[in-house]
Amino acid sequence: MNGNWLSIIPALITLGTAILTKRIIPSLSLGLIAGGILVTGNLFSGIFKTSDYIIAAFSSPENAYIILFLFLLGALTEIFKVAGGIKGFSSLASRWVKNERGALLSVWAVTPVTFLDCCFHVIATGTVSNPLIEKANGSKEKLALVINVTSSQLIVLIPVATTYVGYILGVIASAIKKAGISGSPYTLYLKSIPYNFFSIGMIIISFLIIFLGLGFGRWRFKGDGKLADGVHNSHEAHEESEFEQKFPPRASNLFIPLVLLISLIIFLFWYTGQGKGRSFLEALINAQVEKSIFIATLVTLLLTTLLYVLQKVPLSEIESFFLAGGTELLPPIVILILSWSLSSATQDLGFIEFISRTVGTTVPKLFIPAIVFLVGTFTSYFIGSSWATWSLIMPIGLQLAISSGANIPLIVGAVLAGGSVGDNVSPLGETPVLTASVTEVSIIDHVQTTLPYALVVIGLSTILFIVTQALLG
């Protein structure tokens, strides 16, 4: 189908509904149904076409590996909670922390063993660091900022063994396929990491606050600290953050499986990417990424279960945590499937051709990355979800890159950066709400003390996207 203005209707319906309702799954579903109807020309056939798009999203082996990886990694992070690993790290940290700076740095100290998933990281670091900040009589608002940054901003920059990697690869793979771009989604993701200026900037801010204070908390808005409406609330997040470790503290129960997981991923990257004359680095770049991370996670899950069973952890307890952890990842899995399906529908409507003829040829490429970043920032703030924003903005951003000649890794970095804003400062974002609950800070206080620094980084990032595009030509 030749691209015309009708091709943007599914995307507009999805984005508009998401902003109004703050619910991304119904919004994607509505946009997908609209796409199916527009493709076929009538309601009844459109419903059937919608189901075809959804089933097609499962048919790709790469997609199936990503879905299974997300479920298994969610299960693995939940199983970690049952065997005393987090308590063990907390006990080790308490011996060394004497002041506020030490309590804040403890978040970074625990991060190498909690970076698998943002929610797991928030819960684990909060469990370790909250008693330490109280012991040092330090600022819990500073602690909330550091925990938030090391989850929502740091994890998106880590290219192995995280739930973010699987999801981001799925979004990029779908977008580059629709845009007609060849190459590895993983390689493109690696190239985009230095261009995620917002996430990098917030990490720098967190260190400046830890070591220099940086006037933290001086800028406030009036408010009672309550969140009157939205997707999440503090009670919900508090319930999510509670978990019971029935076994003695043992840091090795977290450390050993994590080392195993990372080692297996690196080995399988090399194993699946090796070829005649390829160096180790070249093998990693040419790896079967989706298959490798799935197998590594599956093997780690099995061996971790065996380790815990040998320590007398009941298998029934492990099974319960396995199902709970996998279920927690169902929302992003559904979002990913729907975004894949919506992308197929918009392609059939000629969305790519329409964007190429309009925005791509009228806006100078110098400003394309900055515009993509700001659109993503706006979207993620009002939706409160980085994952949903990436799925909505990535296809548009890559097509704009193709039609305007903008640098493709820079555009991917702009999409990831813009989507990350919501998980940092939106009062509707899962990470801010969960962080506020775990650190016992009101959500409004957490957002208001973080927002001034985020606004500065947003402004600087916008400038950097323009300057970088100019330098890259």
Side-chain angles (χ1 to χ4, degrees), residues 42 153 161 184:
N42 69 76
Q153 307 309 312
S184 163

Side-chain angles (χ1 to χ4, degrees), residues 79-364:
I79 288 174
F80 283 161
K81 299 174 184 178
V82 76
I86 297 173
K87 274 187 179 179
F89 270 95
S90 181
S91 299
L92 289 174
S94 64
R95 301 176 188 175
W96 304 99
V97 173
K98 306 298 180 184
N99 53 34
E100 180 186 77
R101 180 179 297 175
L104 297 176
L105 287 173
S106 70
V107 177
W108 283 95
V110 176
T111 296
V113 292
T114 60
F115 68 87
L116 295 163
D117 176 71
C118 63
C119 291
F120 173 65
H121 172 80
V122 170
I123 294 170
T125 54
T127 302
V128 171
S129 303
N130 208 37
L132 301 178
I133 204 76
E134 291 177 349
K135 175 183 174 182
N137 197 28
S139 168
K140 287 196 172 184
E141 289 163 339
K142 287 185 181 179
L143 177 64
L145 182 144
V146 175
I147 288 177
N148 184 309
V149 167
T150 52
S151 57
S152 63
Q153 307 309 312
L154 178 64
I155 294 176
V156 72
L157 301 174
I158 300 175
V160 293
T162 73
T163 51
Y164 277 51
V165 170
Y167 186 86
I168 289 170
L169 289 181
V171 170
I172 294 177
S174 175
I176 65 175
K177 181 179 179 181
K178 306 309 178 188
I181 301 172
S182 60
S184 163
Y186 187 66
T187 302
L188 183 54
Y189 169 50
L190 291 177
K191 290 180 178 179
S192 75
I193 290 174
Y195 301 130
N196 189 339
F197 299 130
F198 178 79
S199 295
I200 294 171
M202 289 306 299
I203 290 171
I204 294 172
I205 288 289
S206 73
F207 278 112
L208 293 177
I209 286 173
I210 292 173
F211 291 103
L212 301 180
L214 203 65
F216 185 85
R218 291 179 184 172
W219 300 281
R220 296 283 190 116
F221 303 100
K222 292 181 179 180
D224 58 6
K226 296 179 181 178
L227 182 60
D229 194 13
V231 179
H232 306 281
N233 56 64
S234 59
H235 177 68
E236 172 190 337
H238 181 67
E239 288 180 345
E240 185 177 355
S241 70
E242 291 181 337
F243 58 88
E244 183 178 10
Q245 296 185 55
K246 300 180 180 179
F247 299 90
R250 189 174 293 175
S252 59
N253 279 348
L254 189 59
F255 181 73
I256 292 174
L258 188 66
V259 171
L260 175 63
L261 176 62
I262 296 174
S263 300
L264 279 174
I265 288 176
I266 294 174
F267 169 75
L268 289 172
F269 277 10
W270 167 80
Y271 182 79
T272 61
Q274 64 178 327
K276 187 175 182 180
R278 286 180 180 169
S279 66
F280 180 76
L281 182 59
E282 289 172 336
L284 296 183
I285 293 175
N286 289 279
Q288 298 178 36
V289 176
E290 297 87 355
K291 186 174 185 178
S292 298
I293 60 178
F294 164 69
I295 294 175
T297 306
L298 177 62
V299 173
T300 301
L301 181 62
L302 294 173
L303 293 178
T304 300
T305 299
L306 178 61
L307 174 66
Y308 290 176
V309 168
L310 292 175
Q311 296 175 18
K312 311 299 184 184
V313 179
L315 194 58
S316 60
E317 193 92 8
I318 296 174
E319 180 183 21
S320 175
F321 275 74
F322 170 87
L323 294 174
T327 301
E328 285 183 6
L329 266 291
L330 284 180
I333 288 173
V334 173
I335 291 172
L336 192 55
I337 292 170
L338 290 174
S339 68
W340 284 331
S341 305
L342 180 61
S343 180
S344 296
T346 56
Q347 184 188 28
D348 288 347
L349 286 168
F351 176 77
I352 292 175
E353 293 84 353
F354 178 75
I355 292 294
S356 298
R357 291 199 315 265
T358 54
V359 181
T361 57
T362 57
V363 178

